[in-house]
Amino acid sequence: EYDYEGSSNDLLRQNDNLTSVFEYKLLLSKPLSRRLMFETGYLFNRTDEDFGSSQTNQLAETGQLNLRAQLVYLAPDTIEISGQIGVTSYYAPSTSSFFSDRDRSTKVVSARVVHKFNEFFTGSIDGSYRGFHTIYISGELSANNNINNVYIINPTLIWQPYPAIRIQQNYQMHANYSYYEYEKDAISQRNTLYRRANFINNVTVSISPRTDLIFEYSYRYEDFGRLLWEDQWKQQVSWDRRTHRPRFGVEYRPWQFFRFYPYASYEIQSSYDHLFDDEDVLGQREKRDELSRKLIGFELQWTLSSNSYVECKLERRVQDYTQQRSQDYDLFTISVKRQL
């Protein structure tokens, strides 16, 4: 709850407002055998937002069902599948000019498979699908009914050829489709596709029981553009971006309850625009901007007990652009955790 003193000199719009949340969750977990675990649950959430004006008030209610199953097929293999379905209903006053009554359904399915080839090499694959469907109750607003589908696949390889050396390779492919139901067969600027692919290669070398050297290199590709339907979805790329980032850190643990981690990284990111002619055919690809980011910092964590710790982080970040002004950041964060 926020209360403000009315003043004509306020530069920001400030209103007395109140948000209340009620939530309960019911969870049932049962091992069906030594190899199979099953879990299910139900969640209800009610959020009432009162911003002091009927134009901005909103009420939301969520009902959500969760399912999860874990199967240990053989000693070196684990399979885990989970799913979630739910509906959130939003209610707004008839005088609201910011929100409208609508329903949003959610479907989430994820799976994970882990296989231990031997004591030195382990592989896993994570994948998920997330589907969101928004339906406006008012027929006049039904043109805004939209669908958002997100697909993610994430393979990981962990290799430990020697006790002091650990190598981890992680790949991720991400695709986000957003389109409007009544514009699927039309050329619309609102139908879009965002894609991303990541590659992270991490090498950890233990030079002593208390000191680890961490070398990392990551590469990320991203693109975004209009989505066209011609018997299947096709993308017309508007821009793409490529990012390279090497990183180095040292993790030092002088005592069991104390951790010190200095690190540094250098990142270079190139952005390109895709230009089209009047006939909307694939056009010229031009470099728009290039970013170089230099970062140095350290983290310090002091574990006071099993249920409390203090963590500090200090970071210096310098960003240089070819088409924009350079930016310098000095960031300091302190976190204190105490579990009663």
Side-chain angles (χ1 to χ4, degrees):
E1 182 175 4
Y2 297 89
D3 297 321
Y4 295 103
E5 294 292 336
S7 172
S8 60
N9 297 324
D10 289 343
L11 298 178
L12 300 177
R13 181 169 180 250
Q14 298 176 338
N15 289 326
D16 296 347
N17 60 77
L18 170 68
T19 299
S20 63
V21 178
F22 170 76
E23 180 175 295
Y24 70 82
K25 180 188 293 186
L26 179 65
L27 184 67
L28 175 64
S29 178
K30 179 175 176 56
L32 301 180
S33 67
R34 290 187 303 172
R35 299 185 180 274
L36 179 62
M37 168 68 75
F38 178 77
E39 185 177 275
T40 184
Y42 178 75
L43 168 71
F44 175 81
N45 177 288
R46 181 184 179 92
T47 303
D48 189 0
E49 298 174 339
D50 183 354
F51 293 102
S53 169
S54 60
Q55 292 185 342
T56 57
N57 296 344
Q58 186 175 223
L59 173 67
E61 293 184 352
T62 299
Q64 180 178 292
L65 178 66
N66 300 296
L67 299 170
R68 185 174 75 91
Q70 182 177 12
L71 174 64
V72 181
Y73 183 65
L74 294 172
D77 295 287
T78 300
I79 300 174
E80 184 174 339
I81 299 175
S82 62
Q84 170 187 310
I85 57 174
V87 175
T88 301
S89 297
Y90 298 89
Y91 306 98
S94 59
T95 56
S96 175
S97 57
F98 292 88
F99 305 108
S100 301
D101 290 353
R102 63 200 185 277
D103 290 337
R104 189 170 190 254
S105 67
T106 303
K107 298 177 183 178
V108 178
V109 178
S110 61
R112 184 170 187 260
V113 179
V114 180
H115 178 70
K116 187 174 182 180
F117 295 90
N118 52 51
E119 59 180 325
F120 308 107
F121 188 57
T122 302
S124 67
I125 296 179
D126 295 273
S128 68
Y129 160 77
R130 304 174 188 178
F132 307 95
H133 188 189
T134 301
I135 300 175
Y136 283 79
I137 306 304
S138 169
E140 296 179 356
L141 298 176
S142 60
N144 292 317
N145 294 356
N146 61 85
I147 295 175
N148 179 213
N149 292 326
V150 181
Y151 303 89
I152 299 175
I153 186 168
N154 184 27
T156 301
L157 299 175
I158 300 175
W159 183 36
Q160 193 158 1
Y162 302 100
I165 299 177
R166 186 176 187 269
I167 302 172
Q168 179 170 321
Q169 291 181 309
N170 179 265
Y171 308 83
Q172 186 187 80
M173 289 164 281
H174 174 112
N176 189 328
Y177 294 79
S178 298
Y179 64 92
Y180 288 75
E181 286 187 287
Y182 297 106
E183 298 179 11
K184 181 178 179 180
D185 297 328
I187 297 178
S188 171
Q189 298 292 338
R190 301 200 297 176
N191 297 341
T192 60
L193 170 60
Y194 169 76
R195 299 185 301 179
R196 181 178 71 238
N198 294 342
F199 165 71
I200 300 176
N201 197 16
N202 181 289
V203 179
T204 301
V205 180
S206 297
I207 60 176
S208 75
R210 297 180 178 180
T211 307
D212 294 335
L213 304 180
I214 303 172
F215 305 88
E216 183 180 288
Y217 169 75
S218 65
Y219 171 76
R220 181 172 70 248
Y221 171 81
E222 302 167 272
D223 65 35
F224 176 84
R226 190 168 62 177
L227 198 58
L228 306 176
W229 177 262
E230 296 177 358
D231 296 330
Q232 61 181 353
W233 285 118
K234 298 179 180 179
Q235 184 194 30
Q236 188 181 68
V237 178
S238 299
W239 57 261
D240 71 78
R241 192 159 52 213
R242 292 165 167 79
T243 305
H244 301 265
R245 191 190 72 171
R247 178 184 173 100
F248 172 72
V250 180
E251 183 172 335
Y252 179 55
R253 303 172 297 275
W255 305 284
Q256 184 179 2
F257 52 85
F258 193 84
R259 173 180 175 268
F260 180 66
Y261 178 53
Y263 57 89
S265 70
Y266 176 75
E267 180 177 312
I268 184 166
Q269 183 183 99
S270 302
S271 301
Y272 299 85
D273 284 333
H274 294 244
L275 308 178
F276 300 90
D277 58 23
D278 296 336
E279 298 180 355
D280 282 336
V281 299
L282 187 62
Q284 187 177 3
R285 180 171 175 266
E286 293 185 354
K287 191 171 186 178
R288 179 183 62 195
D289 198 3
E290 185 170 276
L291 159 70
S292 63
R293 179 184 291 123
K294 296 175 281 290
L295 186 150
I296 186 169
F298 72 85
E299 297 178 9
L300 185 150
Q301 187 178 86
W302 182 21
T303 302
L304 303 175
S305 65
S306 60
N307 56 1
S308 62
Y309 71 85
V310 177
E311 185 177 65
C312 299
K313 182 177 180 180
L314 179 63
E315 197 170 81
R316 169 70 172 170
R317 184 188 305 167
V318 179
Q319 299 181 168
D320 296 317
Y321 299 84
T322 56
Q323 303 295 332
Q324 305 177 44
R325 292 186 303 172
S326 298
Q327 300 175 355
D328 297 346
Y329 297 91
D330 293 303
L331 307 174
F332 176 71
T333 305
I334 183 168
S335 304
V336 180
K337 176 184 176 182
R338 173 66 178 174
Q339 185 175 349
L340 301 178

